[in-house]
Structures are given as C-alpha cells and as structure tokens.
Amino acid sequence: NPRAQEILTAARQDLDALRKPNPDLSGDLENAFAAAELSLENYGAAADHFMEAALHYEKVESQNQPAIAEAWMNAAENYFTSDQGS
C-alpha cells in the first residue's frame, strides 16, 4: 500500500522527536514502528525496530524480562523472514 508506506516514512522522520519528551516510551514506540513495518511486509525494517526496542528495554526496564525476551524473539523471527536472514 503506497499510502501506508508514505505515512510510515513520514512518521519515521518524527521518531526522534517523539522519543525526546518521552524517553520511557522509546521501546514501545519502536515496537509500534515494527508492527507497522510488519503490516507492509518490511521484515528487515521490522527486525531493526524490534532490536532497538530490546536494547531500550534492557537499558531502561531491566526488570521487565518478558518484554526484553519478546522484543529479541520478534527481532530474530523477522530477521530470518527478511532477505537479510537468507
């Protein structure tokens, strides 16, 4: 869907602006972008966002082990679904 891709591209440009006032939401924002990339079948980009989410969760929410594990699992799954993992 070209329109969805256009919206996602514009939103990606604002990602850093969204993170600055909400550093605690950074992992959640990365997960949201990953989900959007998945809906467009952009598996490599989704994996990148899941990895960023996992790194954020490890740094900020070290006690939230399920969120960290899920983000890494999603990153690996989408990496291997993408052309990068072939």
Side-chain angles (χ1 to χ4, degrees):
N1 181 337
R3 179 68 179 139
Q5 185 64 51
E6 181 182 320
I7 292 168
L8 185 57
T9 299
R12 229 183 269 124
Q13 294 171 352
D14 293 332
L15 184 57
D16 286 332
L18 289 170
R19 281 186 208 164
K20 287 180 184 177
N22 303 296
D24 292 342
L25 298 178
S26 195
D28 295 334
L29 288 169
E30 290 293 348
N31 273 327
F33 273 87
E37 293 288 6
L38 282 177
S39 73
L40 296 172
E41 299 181 1
N42 296 334
Y43 302 110
D48 291 342
H49 285 292
F50 282 129
M51 283 188 272
E52 287 298 319
L55 292 171
H56 172 78
Y57 290 143
E58 285 178 346
K59 184 180 358 176
V60 175
E61 300 184 36
S62 61
Q63 300 303 311
N64 192 353
Q65 299 298 322
I68 296 168
E70 183 176 10
W72 279 120
M73 182 187 70
N74 288 335
E77 188 175 283
N78 286 284
Y79 176 79
F80 287 107
T81 303
S82 73
D83 292 338
Q84 299 171 24
S86 345

